Amino acid sequence: DAGVTQSPTHLIKTRGQQVTLRCSPISGHKSVSWYQQVLGQGPQFIFQYYEKEERGRGNFPDRFSARQFPNYSSELNVNALLLGDSALYLCASSRGVSETEQYFGPGTRLTVT
Amino acid sequence: GNSVTQMEGPVTLSEEAFLTINCTYTATGYPSLFWYVQYPGEGLQLLLKATKADDKGSNKGFEATYRKETTSFHLEKGSVQVSDSAVYFCALSETYNQGGKLIFGQGTELSVKP
């Protein structure tokens, strides 16, 4: 079975622009979570979605938003990009909403210049 | 709030040396504990887990025991290989109303020399 997939792999944006990152979970997994990993640090939780509804949100500004589609894939949107948004964005999937054994995709490397 | 603290890296070892990476946590309740590994340029891979006190998680020669009395989950391997060079993350689960997430430590970089 395919693992979690993310696109694009790399992305370069300019300050003030908007970006959309995409994630497809493992088949049979209904929960998708997003994490931000700044260089040299551990991942930080951004969102969790389950059955198309937001179930949790980390300490991130409203510039960050996400959604989940009927096929359980998900998009993360970041508006008004700042230099500090440069990071590896990781998507993780799990079978259920409260199951914390999560499986991660390879990530999208976002660079804001 | 809940948190995870790992020993700082980088850790440099010779091949076949014994590895310990320390991890301690602060949590309310009884979280599950995890070790993830991240190879250069890749995402995180689940290495092992433990869901309750005194559980031992193991995989690929790595082991970690959930110690509630010392709030620790140290990662060990008896004989490391060059291919074990990576960044290792300790994490705990935090459940909340209608959801669950992982809280990670800052990561420990391991470099194994031939």
Side-chain angles (χ1 to χ4, degrees), chain B residues 23-109:
Chain B
C23 170
T24 58
Y25 67 90
T26 301
T28 55
Y30 304 96
S32 293
L33 301 175
F34 305 86
W35 277 99
Y36 281 85
V37 58
Q38 187 173 38
Y39 297 101
E42 298 184 11
L44 275 70
Q45 298 178 24
L46 177 62
L47 182 59
L48 54 84
K49 69 172 184 178
T51 58
K52 61 183 187 294
D54 300 325
D55 265 4
K56 177 184 283 187
S58 61
N59 185 29
K60 300 181 181 180
F62 291 90
E63 293 182 340
T65 301
Y66 190 163
R67 302 287 188 198
K68 187 172 183 296
E69 63 277 12
T70 55
T71 62
S72 64
F73 193 55
H74 305 321
L75 182 68
E76 297 182 336
K77 187 175 185 183
S79 177
V80 294
Q81 305 300 312
V82 172
S83 58
D84 293 327
S85 299
V87 180
Y88 292 81
F89 291 94
C90 183
L92 65 80
S93 64
E94 180 176 288
T95 56
Y96 49 84
N97 185 30
Q98 300 186 55
K101 66 180 183 182
L102 293 172
I103 295 174
F104 287 88
Q106 74 272 30
T108 302
E109 182 180 359

Side-chain angles (χ1 to χ4, degrees), chain A:
Chain A
D1 283 344
V4 177
T5 59
Q6 293 186 242
S7 63
T9 304
H10 295 89
L11 206 50
I12 299 175
K13 291 286 189 179
T14 304
R15 277 177 297 175
Q17 287 187 317
Q18 175 264 340
V19 69
T20 298
L21 312 180
R22 296 175 176 83
C23 170
S24 292
I26 291 172
S27 177
H29 286 195
K30 298 183 177 181
S31 175
V32 169
S33 297
W34 288 94
Y35 291 80
Q36 180 195 64
Q37 186 182 14
V38 173
L39 193 64
Q41 298 182 20
Q44 297 290 317
F45 173 74
I46 309 175
F47 286 111
Q48 181 189 25
Y49 273 76
Y50 179 76
E51 295 287 4
K52 299 184 291 181
E53 292 187 3
E54 181 182 307
R55 297 302 184 99
R57 184 187 184 107
N59 188 24
F60 281 81
D62 291 344
R63 299 184 296 107
F64 288 76
S65 64
R67 56 179 175 168
Q68 187 178 33
F69 300 97
N71 66 354
Y72 304 109
S73 66
S74 177
E75 288 183 349
L76 175 70
N77 296 283
V78 186
N79 294 323
L81 285 167
L82 303 174
L83 294 179
D85 295 331
S86 295
L88 181 67
Y89 288 86
L90 296 164
C91 174
S93 74
S94 59
R95 291 189 183 278
V97 66
S98 58
E99 182 169 341
T100 50
E101 182 170 332
Q102 298 183 358
Y103 295 86
F104 285 80
T108 294
R109 173 71 64 187
L110 172 64
T111 301
V112 182
T113 62

